[in-house]
Each structure stands twice: as structure tokens, then as C-alpha cells.
Amino acid sequence: MSPGDEHETSGGYGGTGQTRTRYPQGTGGDIYGGARRGRSSSSKSLVTVVAVVVLLIAAIAFANRGDGTSSSNDNTTSSGSKPDAASTAASGTKPVETKTGGIPSGFAHTEQGAQSAAANYSVSLGSTGMFQKEIRHSLVNSLYTSAAASKLTGPMDQAYSADFLSKLGLDANGNAPTGSTFVSRVIPVGTTVQRYSDNDAKVAVWYVGLIGMSGQTSTDPVTTSWKTWTFDLQWSNGDWKIVTDSQKDGPAPVPGDDTAATSDEISKAIDEYGGFTYAR
């Protein structure tokens, strides 16, 4: 479930969107330097298998997905194509201060609280922890309703098999080789409420994802993808919990001409820059 599509059956968080990238010259054998080579079969396997995992997680959502029509006032526009300020401005609401097992919890029983929950849940479910059994179980049991979690745990364990992990360059326990850094991150750009009531909410999170292996011998360098992750949430036991979720590609901006970093720079950045607790 780490980074599936709501409208397509493939192309998950490790998506295949093509990005025009300028690579640095004179970096020797660094996979991040020199002329860009075509993605290897291993990379294609990564994309395909990660998409399958997300589909497993979103199985119920695919069967019951809605039309995605927005009903939230935050999505309304004024004066034709000009959006209301409320659709982009931060609310000023402080992030939650409580955590359960290292995961933000105790979100407000409001539209803003539902958006904050969805943003933080996308970050947790898009993390490298999903590739390690014990952490994955903890995440699923913490973020999903008990009914949804019980249906997901078995299929997900089968999907995160040793064979699957090896295709990502990980060992059977989800660890990267010595000298390499496995990257899997979700960075929310914005959220919108598509449906809300006191008992349930449907929130979409627009995000940019990072996935790949950073290392001198990596054939799957870290790449970016733009996705929208939609969560059907339920108010349960004093917090928002996921009932179903699904993903689709985009919207993706026009790629720029940024010079790609070396593998060492990417690994250092991943180690030095931590994530945030998100609030609408």
C-alpha cells in the first residue's frame, strides 16, 4: 500500500509518469549521473508490484468507489475560474500533539480534522515501514477500522513476500543492502473534502511521492510521481479511521529542468530531513 488507481488498475505510488530530468555530468559510475539510461526490468517490476499492493489495500474502495464529485464548500470557485482563498489557504489549526505508536492521532471531529487525518495517514502508509511486517501490521491496525484491518492484513502479508521485496532490492525483512538507502515517501501538497458528516468523510490528498533505491550500485534511482489518494474515513473510538482508500495518477505539473542529485546527496537528504505532522 505503499504508494493504485481509482480509475486505472495499475500505476501506484511508484508510478510510471515520465519526467524530463537534467543529469549532472562527470559523476563517473553513479547511477544518478551521466546520460540517463532506460529503466530496467527491475524498475518495471517495482512499479507493477507496488501497484498490486496498493490495489490489495484499496480492494473495497474499487468495489464501492463513488464518482468523485466534490460537495465541499472548500472546492467552490468564484468569479469563473478563480478559486476561493479558502481552497488554498491554511486554516491555522495546530497539528495534533498526541501520537499512538509514533503515528499522529486524536484528530478533531471536524472537516479540518478529517483532512489532517487523511494527510498524515497518507504519509504513514507511504513510508518504508510498510515494507517491514511488524511495522506494517502496526500501521494497518492503527489507521484502519478493525473490520478493514482484518481483511487487509493477510493479503498484504502475501503481497509483501520475500520475492516481492527482492525485486525492490530489499532483503526478506524489508531492509536495504549495506551502503544503500531505500526511499518511500509521500509528501502531501493539499487536501479537499468530497463528503462530510459527523460519522464519515471522504477526503482526497494530492501528493508527490518518492520511491526508489539510492546507492552506488542501484539500478532503480529515486524518482517522483504525482498522485491523488482518496480516503473514506469513519469516526470511530474518538478518532478518524480508514474504511477504504484508492489512488489515481496526477494532477502532475510540467516537470522542470532541475539537475538530478547524486545518490550520495539523496541518501544524505533522506537521513537528514525528517517528515512533518500535517494540519489543514
Side-chain angles (χ1 to χ4, degrees):
M1 159 174 62
S2 180
D5 295 359
E6 186 173 15
H7 301 297
E8 300 179 25
T9 57
S10 64
Y13 160 55
T16 56
Q18 297 298 311
T19 302
R20 177 163 56 91
T21 307
R22 179 176 296 159
Y23 283 76
Q25 301 297 319
T27 53
D30 196 315
I31 188 66
Y32 286 77
R36 186 171 189 175
R37 299 184 299 182
R39 297 300 296 268
S40 66
S41 59
S42 173
S43 176
K44 294 179 180 178
S45 297
L46 182 153
V47 171
T48 301
V49 181
V50 170
V52 170
V53 174
V54 176
L55 290 174
L56 284 172
I57 296 170
I60 302 174
F62 292 137
N64 300 283
R65 63 179 182 262
D67 60 8
T69 301
S70 173
S71 59
S72 170
N73 290 334
D74 284 348
N75 297 329
T76 58
T77 59
S78 60
S79 303
S81 60
K82 186 176 181 179
D84 289 339
S87 67
T88 55
S91 67
T93 301
K94 293 182 179 180
V96 295
E97 296 181 356
T98 57
K99 289 188 176 183
T100 301
I103 305 169
S105 62
F107 294 96
H109 194 184
T110 62
E111 286 193 26
Q112 290 184 3
Q115 291 179 79
S116 296
N120 284 281
Y121 294 171
S122 68
V123 172
S124 295
L125 296 173
S127 69
T128 56
M130 287 298 295
F131 297 84
Q132 299 178 335
K133 186 175 182 179
E134 184 176 346
I135 299 176
R136 180 172 67 251
H137 284 187
S138 177
L139 287 170
V140 173
N141 290 328
S142 297
L143 305 184
Y144 286 81
T145 63
S146 57
S150 64
K151 294 179 180 179
L152 292 173
T153 302
M156 288 177 61
D157 285 346
Q158 293 179 12
Y160 284 93
S161 64
D163 180 61
F164 160 67
L165 295 175
S166 69
K167 292 177 180 178
L168 306 182
L170 304 172
D171 65 19
N173 294 316
N175 299 311
T178 301
S180 295
T181 302
F182 179 61
V183 180
S184 181
R185 282 198 184 187
V186 162
I187 304 97
V189 176
T191 61
T192 185
V193 176
Q194 298 181 350
R195 183 185 68 247
Y196 181 81
S197 73
D198 285 343
N199 296 320
D200 59 74
K202 185 173 186 177
V203 179
V205 180
W206 180 34
Y207 74 87
V208 58
L210 305 177
I211 192 165
M213 186 74 74
S214 177
Q216 296 294 333
T217 61
S218 172
T219 57
D220 290 307
V222 179
T223 59
T224 60
S225 61
W226 290 84
K227 304 283 182 179
T228 300
W229 203 336
T230 302
F231 295 90
D232 283 289
L233 303 172
Q234 181 181 96
W235 184 255
S236 176
N237 296 322
D239 210 347
W240 292 105
K241 300 292 183 180
I242 306 170
V243 179
T244 62
D245 60 305
S246 58
Q247 295 195 50
K248 64 179 181 180
D249 290 335
V254 176
D257 290 325
D258 301 308
T259 300
T262 66
S263 60
D264 287 342
E265 290 173 326
I266 292 293
S267 296
K268 183 178 180 181
I270 291 297
D271 289 337
E272 291 183 349
Y273 293 89
F276 297 96
T277 298
Y278 292 84
R280 183 68 177 94

